[in-house]
Amino acid sequence: WYLLVYALGGCSIGHVYRLITDYEGYTLDFTGPLMLMVQRITYVGFSYNDGIAKKEEELNEDQKRNRIVVLPSILEYLSYNFSFLTLLAGPTCTYHEYNEMITGQNIKKWKIKDEPSPLVPALKKFLTAIFFLIIFINSRDLKLDEKIFDVSLPFYLRFVYITLFCFV
């Protein structure tokens, strides 16, 4: 629990610093990812404690599955803490789940015989992109910005112009 107090103390210092420097302001700050880091640090700490300090019969099924028996290397630990997939917004996962994903052990559990071909979905997306590209190229001479703001056009037609051409 020392690790939890340390991690929460660092997070609290970050929140207090944020309150002092930008009270009631709306800026992107570091406290969101810091709270996720607190979760990851405590996950590793408690999982390691379950792996070395407790007997197996004292653990429930979740603790048995997620316990860490061998301390991860510094590179593994930092890659878990600074994983791009969960750094800014979560969701956080246990070190065991992360390690299974990195090593590919989670896919081996499914026992997939034949992987489906990505050709058909990729071809559909490609043809859709080509279709809208052709529409976009052929509509350059239509002066769409005038048509979008033309009040005499029906709303649905202006909506189609906006959705097709303003967000490309």
Side-chain angles (χ1 to χ4, degrees):
W1 65 274
Y2 296 114
L3 181 66
L4 179 63
V5 170
Y6 175 74
L8 285 176
C11 189
S12 298
I13 290 170
H15 282 293
V16 169
Y17 174 77
R18 165 83 161 73
L19 285 173
I20 291 171
T21 58
D22 190 26
Y23 185 69
E24 289 188 5
Y26 186 75
T27 57
L28 185 62
D29 64 339
F30 63 94
T31 56
L34 189 61
M35 289 185 284
L36 291 169
M37 293 287 288
V38 167
Q39 291 177 353
R40 287 191 207 100
I41 290 168
T42 53
Y43 262 138
V44 171
F46 282 106
S47 296
Y48 186 64
N49 184 47
D50 291 341
I52 62 165
K54 292 186 178 179
K55 296 177 184 172
E56 191 168 345
E57 55 269 2
E58 295 175 356
L59 304 175
N60 62 26
E61 292 301 316
D62 190 46
Q63 287 174 319
K64 287 179 186 175
R65 184 179 66 246
N66 292 322
R67 69 184 181 157
I68 299 173
V69 181
V70 178
L71 193 63
S73 69
I74 189 72
L75 182 63
E76 292 170 337
Y77 178 72
L78 291 177
S79 71
Y80 169 66
N81 275 331
F82 296 109
S83 172
F84 174 73
L85 302 172
T86 60
L87 181 64
L88 293 178
T92 190
C93 62
T94 63
Y95 178 76
H96 177 73
E97 292 169 343
Y98 174 78
N99 196 26
E100 276 189 343
M101 184 209 41
I102 292 297
T103 59
Q105 296 297 323
N106 59 346
I107 294 175
K108 292 178 184 176
K109 291 178 185 178
W110 295 340
K111 299 178 183 174
I112 298 174
K113 295 177 184 172
D114 294 330
E115 291 188 23
S117 173
L119 181 64
V120 174
L123 193 59
K124 283 182 184 178
K125 297 215 184 291
F126 177 72
L127 292 176
T128 304
I130 294 296
F131 172 72
F132 284 110
L133 181 65
I134 290 170
I135 289 176
F136 181 71
I137 290 173
N138 290 332
S139 65
R140 286 226 181 237
D141 301 329
L142 296 178
K143 299 188 189 308
L144 292 172
D145 49 344
E146 295 173 6
K147 291 187 179 184
I148 290 171
F149 297 113
D150 187 9
V151 185
S152 63
L153 288 176
F155 174 75
Y156 72 89
L157 194 54
R158 286 187 288 158
F159 181 74
V160 168
Y161 284 141
I162 289 172
T163 55
L164 281 179
F165 305 109
C166 288
F167 300 115
V168 176

